[in-house]
Amino acid sequence: MSMKVEGSGVAAGDDVRLKKDFGTIGLLFTAIGSIIGSGWLFSSLHASAQAGPASIISWIVGTIMFLFIGLSYAELGVMFPRSGGVARYPHYAWGSFASYSSGWVTWLSCAAVASVEVSAVLTYATSYLHWLEHDNATLTGAGLIIAIALMALFVAVNYLGVRWFARINNVMVWWKLGMMVLVIVAVIVSAFHFTNFSLDTKDGNGFAPYGLKSAFEAIPAAGIAFSFLGWRQGIELAGETNNPKRNVPLTLIGSVLICGVLYILLQIAFIGAQDPSALAAHGWHDVGSLIKTGSDAGNFSPLATLATVLGMGWLAGLLYADAFISPGDTGLIYTGVTARMSYAMARNKNAPAVLAKVNNNGVPWPSLILAWIVGCIFFLPFPSWQALVGIVTSLTVLSFGIGAITLVTFRKQVPEVERPYRSKAPWVIVFLAVLSSNLIMYWAGWDQVWKMMLAVVLGYVFLGIFELTDRGPNRRAPQLDLKHGWWVLLWFGGITVVSYLGSYSGAAVTDAGQANVYGFDGGIIANIILTIIVLAVAWYSQLPGDKVRQILAEPDEPVQVTGA
């Protein structure tokens, strides 16, 4: 299935230390379980409040975008089925600097997701356990202890290995799929007002009361893009599946399509269930208050509160239970994925070697401990769920775009590598994948972009420290290959400039922090130009094929397998 690299003794892409315990359903369900987390519990409300009925367009466009992003990785995941592949593919294509850049933003976003999901669990629970959070939505002392304990539970389950993880996850995913279908059917049967899709309200009329601009802005801001980020598990865990040729493409494409259809139907059901007279009087921006049964209940537990308003107390009870299961399962998955990312960076030799150490179950346990520590730091007083997922989304799609370009560079660098799955029209797929990534970051707004870039700069500070402490004859890290990886700095700078000059702020104050040089159409044109420039420079900067083969042929340094 994969190329034999001369002198290596192993097949390129074969990660022998990790167990191959993910079957077809196991890998697909890991992606679906990662996608269906806290997003499905909150995003229908936030999208409706931001775009009204046009939020359906938001979900459709979001689904199409992530299909292109996922398709750009389908060939790669079969060529080189490596755990943490999003960080490792840039290492093969442009060297250490590009892979570190991708790995850092990916690892940081993954580490935050588990904390976001735990926060979602506690936010829903605060509706009846008021002592978990303060009035400003930050955790109390008791809530913080429970949050840390939940994170520790995620680590413990992942520590037991892929087989135990997959068994638990499969059960949870069946539950989550069943709950989504049940909610969609129950809400549509109980109350569905077709007039809501063309309603005139006090602050906007018709299907798109706030314009298409708001519909696109909702993709990152309302948690829509965040809700799709889990497709990546088909790549991050590709080194642990028993048949990557079949399982990886099926997971990448199938998870996005299945969840996309469910999300669209859920949004339709949510819109149709609202009271038309109340909507006309208050408008879509205030939809959370219209389904309130207690103090801000509609905003903190929207689906459960809606079920209560519609007289389905039994469904509300199930949804409160699901508020533990859905985010909890996604947090469990992302804890393992975060560990695989730092494992991959250690295998690339631009992170400490200890992070690649595995236990007897084939699990990188020091990376798991690091994921737990960093995840707990995110429980410090951060903004709301909706504000935090915007930053997490931007960081994640940034890393997706870097890896996606390797689909076309590998065609030139290593054309002889067997491709059991070969993508059609690769340049079209990659262009649309990178453009989608750029647009999602642009629509997130300047207030999110500058914070994201600050996090990127922090990563480069850590890289500088690592480089200064890893000198001399025993240097472990490879050369940075700045000559080939510098283009990522051009891209990061381009994202920053395009966002600043654009018309999306991402902040409560609509004109905060951006120049508003061009409008909606101009922003799309600017991102198309940026995408073309990035693809051209990345193509020009790629490592020569011989260097790529040399990297693939490098024997892995010995990694201690312990019973820890």
Side-chain angles (χ1 to χ4, degrees):
M1 180 186 70
S2 54
M3 174 186 70
K4 283 285 188 176
V5 181
E6 185 177 354
S8 71
V10 296
D14 186 21
D15 227 340
V16 296
R17 293 175 184 83
L18 303 176
K19 303 295 181 67
K20 314 294 183 181
D21 284 336
F22 275 113
T24 303
I25 298 299
L27 193 64
L28 176 63
F29 271 29
T30 300
I32 292 176
S34 185
I35 290 174
I36 305 175
S38 60
W40 94 276
L41 296 170
F42 293 99
S43 292
S44 294
L45 168 68
H46 293 309
S48 297
Q50 189 146 359
S55 55
I56 298 171
I57 294 177
S58 307
W59 284 106
I60 293 172
V61 173
T63 301
I64 294 171
M65 283 181 155
F66 279 95
L67 272 177
F68 281 117
I69 294 173
L71 281 170
S72 69
Y73 281 89
E75 179 176 308
L76 303 173
V78 179
M79 283 174 64
F80 303 117
R82 296 250 175 146
S83 289
V86 171
R88 303 186 83 173
Y89 301 147
H91 184 69
Y92 306 149
W94 299 285
S96 185
F97 183 77
S99 72
Y100 176 85
S101 301
S102 176
W104 166 253
V105 296
T106 305
W107 179 81
L108 190 63
S109 60
C110 285
V113 169
S115 306
V116 172
E117 299 300 337
V118 169
S119 296
V121 171
L122 299 183
T123 297
Y124 250 76
T126 301
S127 298
Y128 48 87
L129 299 175
H130 305 294
W131 46 269
L132 288 174
E133 291 185 353
H134 296 295
D135 292 338
N136 63 356
T138 59
L139 293 172
T140 64
L144 180 62
I145 292 173
I146 293 176
I148 293 172
L150 283 173
M151 290 290 292
L153 178 62
F154 296 162
V155 170
V157 173
N158 275 277
Y159 180 86
L160 294 175
V162 165
R163 184 171 297 171
W164 279 95
F165 170 87
R167 288 172 179 171
I168 294 173
N169 181 67
N170 287 352
V171 174
M172 289 185 173
V173 171
W174 279 118
W175 163 273
K176 292 198 284 189
L177 287 172
M179 277 299 303
M180 287 194 74
V181 172
L182 178 61
V183 169
I184 291 168
V185 173
V187 170
I188 289 177
V189 170
S190 177
F192 195 82
H193 307 282
F194 288 98
T195 57
N196 287 354
F197 296 88
S198 57
L199 192 67
D200 292 343
T201 70
K202 73 165 190 175
D203 58 0
N205 302 324
F207 182 75
Y210 313 121
L212 286 178
K213 180 176 181 286
S214 294
F216 291 115
E217 188 175 20
I219 294 174
I224 291 172
F226 176 80
S227 298
F228 281 108
L229 299 183
W231 71 268
R232 68 186 303 153
Q233 313 319 339
I235 294 296
E236 306 299 4
L237 301 173
E240 296 165 77
T241 184
N242 53 17
N243 189 343
K245 176 182 178 180
R246 176 189 63 203
N247 298 344
V248 171
L250 176 64
T251 295
L252 298 182
I253 299 170
S255 62
V256 174
L257 284 176
I258 291 171
C259 294
V261 170
L262 289 174
Y263 279 133
I264 293 167
L265 291 175
L266 180 65
Q267 186 69 64
I268 292 172
F270 186 87
I271 292 170
Q274 305 307 314
D275 180 1
S277 59
L279 275 178
H282 296 274
W284 285 102
H285 284 324
D286 203 29
V287 66
S289 299
L290 303 183
I291 56 174
K292 181 169 64 176
T293 58
S295 177
D296 293 323
N299 291 312
F300 285 102
S301 53
L303 294 181
T305 305
L306 178 63
T308 302
V309 170
L310 296 178
M312 295 183 290
W314 60 271
L315 182 60
L318 289 175
L319 281 164
Y320 279 118
D322 184 76
F324 284 87
I325 296 173
S326 288
D329 181 48
T330 302
L332 176 68
I333 294 169
Y334 267 95
T335 300
V337 170
T338 305
R340 268 64 176 185
M341 286 307 307
S342 51
Y343 171 90
M345 293 177 72
R347 303 309 298 154
N348 287 341
K349 300 181 181 179
N350 49 25
V354 67
L355 295 177
K357 184 181 294 186
V358 300
N359 64 12
N360 291 327
N361 295 322
V363 176
W365 64 271
S367 289
L368 270 179
I369 294 175
L370 179 63
W372 176 67
I373 294 172
V374 175
C376 291
I377 293 174
F378 280 99
F379 290 128
L380 295 175
F382 277 105
S384 66
W385 178 91
Q386 186 179 6
L388 185 55
V389 299
I391 299 175
V392 172
T393 298
S394 296
L395 283 168
T396 306
V397 297
L398 179 61
S399 66
F400 289 165
I402 297 175
I405 304 174
T406 61
L407 171 62
V408 290
T409 65
F410 284 164
R411 291 286 182 97
K412 180 180 179 181
Q413 291 168 311
V414 283
E416 73 279 9
V417 176
E418 183 183 355
R419 290 165 168 81
Y421 178 90
R422 191 175 184 90
S423 298
K424 307 294 185 182
W427 275 103
V428 175
I429 291 175
V430 170
F431 173 79
L432 292 174
V434 177
L435 177 61
S436 295
S437 299
N438 285 339
L439 285 172
I440 290 170
M441 288 182 284
Y442 174 69
W443 291 331
W446 169 249
D447 193 59
Q448 306 295 337
V449 169
W450 77 259
K451 293 174 184 176
M452 174 182 70
M453 290 306 168
L454 184 63
V456 170
V457 171
L458 178 63
Y460 287 138
V461 171
F462 289 141
L463 177 62
I465 295 172
F466 183 70
E467 286 291 311
L468 289 174
T469 57
D470 190 31
R471 292 180 174 271
N474 296 323
R475 175 181 170 89
R476 172 177 172 271
Q479 295 300 315
L480 287 178
D481 289 312
L482 274 170
K483 176 183 177 182
H484 300 281
W486 70 274
W487 68 271
V488 301
L489 298 178
L490 174 68
W491 189 16
F492 296 167
I495 292 167
T496 305
V497 171
V498 167
S499 176
Y500 180 78
L501 296 177
S503 57
Y504 288 89
S505 71
V509 182
T510 56
D511 60 352
Q514 85 289 326
N516 197 21
V517 171
Y518 36 71
F520 176 74
D521 295 337
I524 293 179
I525 293 172
N527 278 282
I528 290 174
I529 294 172
L530 175 62
T531 301
I532 293 171
I533 293 173
V534 167
L535 287 177
V537 177
W539 174 264
Y540 175 78
S541 303
Q542 64 184 269
L543 286 170
D546 290 343
K547 177 64 174 177
V548 176
R549 296 181 188 91
Q550 179 184 338
I551 294 174
L552 292 171
E554 290 175 355
D556 285 338
E557 61 185 358
V559 177
Q560 182 182 2
V561 179
T562 71

